[in-house]
Amino acid sequence: MRIAILGAGSLGTIVGAYLSAGGMNVELIDTYEDHVHALNEQGATVTGTTEFVSSVKAITPQQKSGIYDLVLLLTKQLYNDAVLRDLLPFLNDTSVVCSLQNGIPEQHVAELVGAQRVIAGSVEFGATFMKPGISRLTTEYTQFKAYAFQIGELNGEMTSRIREIQSVLELVGGTHISDNLVGTKWSKLLINNAFSGLSAALNGEYGNILDNEIGIASAAHIADETIKVGHANGVQFATMGGFDIASLELQQDSDLPARIMTLRQVMAPSRLLKASMLQDLEKQRKTEIGYINGVVPELAKGKGIATPFNDLVVQLVQAAEATGSVPDFDTNIKPFEQLVNVYSTR
């Protein structure tokens, strides 16, 4: 099997390191030439909750050649049109594109490369790009090895190819097959909305949100908005690591303390995670905020569901994008405090 990791950034570097060490024929593809050079010269280095170095083959997009049997799609959704159209000459009828992107991009990916080629997935671990050739694993190592991915066919069927791809990704970490990909992607979207969005909007790691009373309350409200909008659109949220994501819904305002306690327990292993969107702001790049928190207000239209917490995250991240700045935690927590106070006094 010939594998391409399209977008070998923080996550792709780690995936490529483990697949290469496992003996797979894999190419790490990235536009950052210094990173590509470092990977080829020094190998892919994984730091953080583990220490690991693996020899890898890295190329720029212009160096793609031949046919790829499996493409792990880890680029930003912002670039999907260009990236996937450029990929088409390197696919045959049996090639598989596994979307491991944040959000729910599968329908658009299928439109570009053909639905028969697409399987979907969700990355369940976090990473931070440190410098060319080096990525930091921020999820506890034991959790990473037990639960790194969820994957599945778009129609939920159990197929031979999904089993084969599971065996490949098991070389990286625990890989679980889902028969409810829509629910899987929405469950991951919820976590991204509640923590990655806030991480970017406030400028902090997940632990900063968990330890701040307004931050964690805001995360609970973001989760609640996402669940309500998902349900209104016919989504059945999938469990993640055995946890019932939909149980985070606020049935009444008095549920908030219990939801906060649950979030603190569930998210404790992810305290060190730093949103890739925040890393984008630090580099003065556009973020995927419209494909993350922005999905909820968009799909809430006509449903009679208010989404003030997701709206505020989008507003603050887009403001930082527009000014080329990084948010200040103490400044940006204040409008969230105002919202939390409004909802606590209803």
Side-chain angles (χ1 to χ4, degrees):
M1 177 183 289
R2 190 162 182 256
I3 303 171
I5 297 175
L6 200 47
S10 58
L11 296 171
T13 297
I14 293 173
V15 174
Y18 279 97
L19 290 183
S20 297
M24 301 304 298
N25 179 10
V26 56
E27 292 180 353
L28 286 69
I29 306 173
D30 203 81
T31 58
Y32 188 6
E33 292 187 6
D34 287 349
H35 182 44
V36 170
H37 179 74
L39 289 170
N40 287 324
E41 293 296 315
Q42 303 161 21
T45 299
V46 182
T47 64
T49 57
T50 190
E51 300 290 333
F52 175 62
V53 181
S54 174
S55 296
V56 297
K57 178 182 179 182
I59 62 172
T60 62
Q62 295 77 20
Q63 295 173 312
K64 294 194 300 295
S65 63
I67 297 296
Y68 296 107
D69 300 301
L70 173 63
V71 178
L72 303 177
L73 184 62
L74 281 163
T75 52
K76 304 285 187 185
Q77 282 196 60
L78 294 164
Y79 313 115
N80 272 5
D81 281 11
V83 164
L84 293 173
R85 292 188 199 284
D86 184 61
L87 178 66
L88 286 173
F90 307 96
L91 304 177
N92 62 20
D93 290 345
T94 60
S95 296
V96 176
V97 177
C98 177
S99 169
L100 293 170
Q101 296 173 315
N102 291 327
I104 44 177
E106 282 71 30
Q107 180 176 349
H108 188 53
V109 174
E111 290 169 357
L112 292 169
V113 304
Q116 77 282 359
R117 288 186 173 125
V118 179
I119 69 167
S122 176
V123 179
E124 307 298 334
F125 65 93
T128 301
F129 185 84
M130 302 303 291
K131 64 179 183 179
I134 302 177
S135 184
R136 180 184 179 215
L137 179 65
T138 52
T139 299
E140 290 181 359
Y141 182 72
T142 53
Q143 179 177 331
F144 164 67
K145 296 309 289 184
Y147 216 98
F149 303 101
Q150 281 199 58
I151 59 171
E153 297 283 0
L154 296 182
N155 61 8
E157 290 183 2
M158 185 66 67
T159 62
S160 58
R161 72 174 184 178
I162 203 70
R163 286 291 193 193
E164 183 178 12
I165 293 167
Q166 179 191 34
S167 68
V168 170
L169 293 178
E170 287 278 2
L171 295 170
V172 180
T175 303
H176 303 259
I177 296 175
S178 169
D179 61 1
N180 175 19
L181 250 296
V182 173
T184 296
K185 297 295 280 191
W186 270 85
S187 292
K188 180 64 183 295
L189 179 71
L190 182 149
I191 298 299
N192 280 331
N193 285 353
F195 287 91
S196 295
L198 281 174
S199 173
L202 295 174
N203 184 12
E205 295 179 344
Y206 286 14
N208 300 121
I209 298 162
L210 291 168
D211 294 341
N212 183 279
E213 294 303 322
I214 298 301
I216 188 62
S218 297
H221 281 291
I222 290 169
D224 176 62
E225 291 175 6
T226 304
I227 293 167
K228 285 180 165 58
V229 171
H231 284 165
N233 283 276
V235 174
Q236 180 181 352
F237 286 81
T239 59
M240 293 183 69
F243 174 65
D244 179 10
I245 289 283
S247 69
L248 292 170
E249 184 174 8
L250 296 171
Q251 304 294 345
Q252 52 197 7
D253 292 343
S254 59
D255 291 337
L256 184 61
R259 302 299 180 266
I260 287 173
M261 183 181 298
T262 299
L263 277 174
R264 281 179 164 151
Q265 292 172 344
V266 170
M267 296 303 295
S270 303
R271 292 183 58 85
L272 298 178
L273 267 65
K274 176 180 177 180
S276 60
M277 290 190 292
L278 177 54
Q279 296 174 55
D280 288 335
L281 291 178
E282 291 171 342
K283 298 169 185 172
Q284 297 188 340
R285 296 175 179 169
K286 284 185 65 65
T287 73
E288 291 186 292
I289 194 65
Y291 300 99
I292 308 299
N293 294 81
V295 169
V296 174
E298 182 64 27
L299 293 179
K301 291 177 180 177
K303 306 294 185 183
I305 302 171
T307 59
F309 285 87
N310 277 286
D311 291 340
L312 181 55
V313 170
V314 173
Q315 175 189 332
L316 292 173
V317 173
Q318 288 181 339
E321 285 181 347
T323 58
S325 62
V326 177
D328 176 75
F329 192 102
D330 292 336
T331 298
N332 282 6
I333 197 70
K334 292 177 182 177
F336 286 105
E337 183 175 12
Q338 293 171 356
L339 272 181
V340 169
N341 288 337
V342 167
Y343 277 77
S344 65
T345 56
R346 289 188 304 180

